[in-house]
Amino acid sequence: MADTNTAATLGPLTLLARVPGLKQLLLLAALAISISIGITAAFWAQEPSYSLLYSNISDRDAGEMINVLSASNIPYQIDRKSGAILVPADQLHDARLKLAGQGLPRGSGFGLEIIEGETGFSTSQFMENARYHHALETELARTISNLRPVQNARVHLALPKSTVFLRNKKKPTASVLVYLYPGRKLEDNQTSSIIHLVASSVPELQASDITVVDQYGRLLSSPEDGSNMALNAKQFEYTRKLEESYADRVVELLTPILGPGRVRATVSAELDFTEREETREAYDPQGRVIRSEQLSEDRRMGPGAPEGVPGALSNQPPESGPAAAAAQATSATGQEAGQAKPLNESRRTTRNYELDRTLSRIVQPSGRIERLSVAVLVDNRTVTNEEGETVSEPLTTTELDELTRLVREAVG
């Protein structure tokens, strides 16, 4: 009974120490473990450190790159999680040069280098056009993929066949699919740059005929500028930016007075997007000036031409006797009367005036501010009372009036 109580009071280490030969066995086990750890550390130190060669590559490019590395006797490793290819750090640049010599990685496909291949005499014109078409799409996709938010891109071009008939002529179109990095998005100016990049690379391709979509199926390119949807989106964006600009202006003005984080401002703007165009044309009758004047005057002073009705009577010889004498007297009297005044007189005057003309065209831009509503939230002032405690104290009416005046001056 006493031995049992003694064993219970002794600890387990004391009992193990009383076992014969156990202490030597434990020492040998610890020595073996230490030797194993040392050998493992030595082998690990001798292994080369691997560096990243390429990541985010397609399976086709990865297979071709592994074949090139194996043929060049360059060891490699593949990360099971990301699929990245790792090579020894001291052979990193050699591996990249070897792959670059083989045109790897190709990315989205063969570009213009596909045209550099040898073409036989049996290659048709259709195949050459198809190769050029595919190479142009690939080169555009590579260029778009260089943008920071874009991980990968694909470009599809619809190029109609050239024709000499204007009636059958069709316009080319294009569509761009972009794969964005997680958490990234394309800004409006970046989307516009992609659209104009593609439009400038293809002859007769208009920017309005290009569609940009992301991997989630969202339309990134704006609709036609004349559509109501595009106008509403632009007007809303302009209004939002204007409100944010005024709110930031108010916060920046009051922060030095109240302290950082102690003021909030919200601005609501009412804008008039009605476009007005007015054309006026006015004439001043008092400011007329003679531009040209033409005078024409005809006057005849001699006797007139022979008169009478031609015929047998006028060709007969004059009669003799009292009747003939009376007729001759009458004719002489008429000739004297005709010689006393001109037979014909005319006068014509033509004047061209240059009037004072005023042509004015007034275009009132859209987006005119009709009303601004500003709400400012300010925190109480923090002061220390006589007892040394920090308490908040509301602003006085004079201080609030001064802040109101500053805000009114800031927003205009």
Side-chain angles (χ1 to χ4, degrees):
M1 188 71 180
D3 296 338
T4 305
N5 294 334
T6 303
T9 56
L10 295 176
L13 295 178
T14 306
L15 295 176
L16 291 176
R18 291 183 178 183
V19 177
L22 182 60
K23 186 175 181 180
Q24 292 79 4
L25 183 61
L26 292 177
L27 291 176
L28 292 176
L31 181 60
I33 293 173
S34 301
I35 294 174
S36 301
I37 293 175
I39 294 174
T40 303
F43 278 109
W44 179 79
Q46 292 179 359
E47 290 183 358
S49 59
Y50 282 80
S51 300
L52 177 63
L53 180 62
Y54 285 107
S55 61
N56 297 327
I57 56 177
S58 61
D59 296 338
R60 181 180 59 184
D61 289 347
E64 295 182 1
M65 293 169 65
I66 289 174
N67 293 335
V68 174
L69 294 176
S70 300
S72 302
N73 296 325
I74 299 177
Y76 62 88
Q77 291 181 358
I78 299 177
D79 190 357
R80 296 182 179 180
K81 295 182 179 179
S82 61
I85 300 178
L86 308 175
V87 296
D90 56 347
Q91 298 182 0
L92 177 62
H93 297 288
D94 295 338
R96 289 185 175 177
L97 292 176
K98 292 284 186 181
L99 295 176
Q102 301 295 329
L104 295 174
R106 294 190 175 89
S108 56
F110 292 95
L112 293 178
E113 62 268 12
I114 195 175
I115 305 178
E116 298 177 0
E118 297 182 358
T119 57
F121 292 100
S122 60
T123 304
S124 62
Q125 184 69 25
F126 174 78
M127 290 301 300
E128 291 182 357
N129 293 336
R131 285 182 178 179
Y132 175 76
H133 191 171
H134 176 70
L136 184 59
E137 292 178 345
T138 305
E139 290 294 333
L140 289 174
R142 287 179 177 178
T143 304
I144 297 173
S145 299
N146 291 329
L147 297 177
R148 299 218 170 169
V150 181
Q151 181 179 5
N152 197 2
R154 296 196 64 183
V155 179
H156 301 279
L157 300 177
L159 303 179
K161 187 177 180 180
S162 301
T163 178
V164 296
F165 299 101
L166 297 178
R167 183 179 300 176
N168 299 331
K169 191 174 183 179
K170 298 181 180 179
K171 299 187 299 182
T173 57
S175 58
V176 181
L177 176 63
V178 292
Y179 296 88
L180 304 178
Y181 285 104
R184 300 287 188 90
K185 69 174 184 177
L186 284 177
E187 301 293 339
D188 293 339
N189 55 350
Q190 293 175 330
T191 304
S192 300
S193 64
I194 293 176
I195 292 175
H196 288 83
L197 174 66
V198 177
S200 302
S201 304
V202 180
E204 300 181 0
L205 179 59
Q206 302 296 328
S208 58
D209 297 329
I210 301 175
T211 304
V212 181
V213 184
D214 63 358
Q215 70 267 34
Y216 301 105
R218 294 177 297 191
L219 181 64
L220 302 181
S221 57
S222 301
E224 296 181 358
D225 296 337
S227 62
N228 294 330
M229 184 181 298
L231 293 177
N232 294 335
K234 291 182 178 179
Q235 293 172 3
F236 175 77
E237 185 68 18
Y238 177 77
T239 304
R240 184 179 63 84
K241 290 183 178 180
L242 183 64
E243 294 173 348
E244 292 179 355
S245 175
Y246 277 110
D248 294 341
R249 186 184 303 178
V250 173
V251 172
E252 291 177 359
L253 178 64
L254 300 183
T255 297
I257 302 175
L258 302 174
R262 305 179 67 87
V263 58
R264 297 288 186 273
T266 302
V267 179
S268 177
E270 294 182 6
L271 304 181
D272 184 12
F273 291 98
T274 303
E275 296 183 358
R276 296 180 178 89
E277 182 176 352
E278 182 180 357
T279 303
R280 294 180 180 179
E281 186 174 0
Y283 295 91
D284 186 9
Q286 303 298 330
R288 62 180 185 176
V289 179
I290 297 178
R291 182 176 63 179
S292 62
E293 183 177 4
Q294 182 179 1
L295 301 177
S296 178
E297 183 176 354
D298 299 333
R299 182 175 298 178
R300 296 179 183 179
M301 303 298 295
E307 298 179 358
V309 179
L313 296 177
S314 60
N315 294 331
Q316 292 180 359
E319 298 179 357
S320 57
Q328 290 179 358
T330 302
S331 177
T333 303
Q335 290 179 358
E336 292 178 358
Q339 292 176 357
K341 57 182 178 180
L343 298 177
N344 190 8
E345 181 179 359
S346 65
R347 178 177 296 177
R348 295 183 298 275
T349 304
T350 303
R351 292 187 180 92
N352 294 325
Y353 292 93
E354 190 71 32
L355 299 180
D356 187 7
R357 177 191 178 195
T358 303
L359 182 63
S360 60
R361 181 173 177 266
I362 303 174
V363 179
Q364 298 181 0
S366 61
R368 184 171 57 88
I369 299 177
E370 292 188 346
R371 182 180 179 182
L372 284 176
S373 301
V374 183
V376 182
L377 178 64
V378 296
D379 195 5
N380 293 336
R381 183 174 51 248
T382 303
V383 296
T384 304
N385 57 10
E386 297 178 355
E387 298 178 357
E389 298 178 353
T390 302
V391 296
S392 61
E393 181 180 324
L395 300 178
T396 62
T397 305
T398 304
E399 292 174 341
L400 293 177
D401 293 341
E402 183 66 20
L403 295 179
T404 303
R405 185 186 65 82
L406 291 177
V407 172
R408 186 178 292 110
E409 293 293 336
V411 298

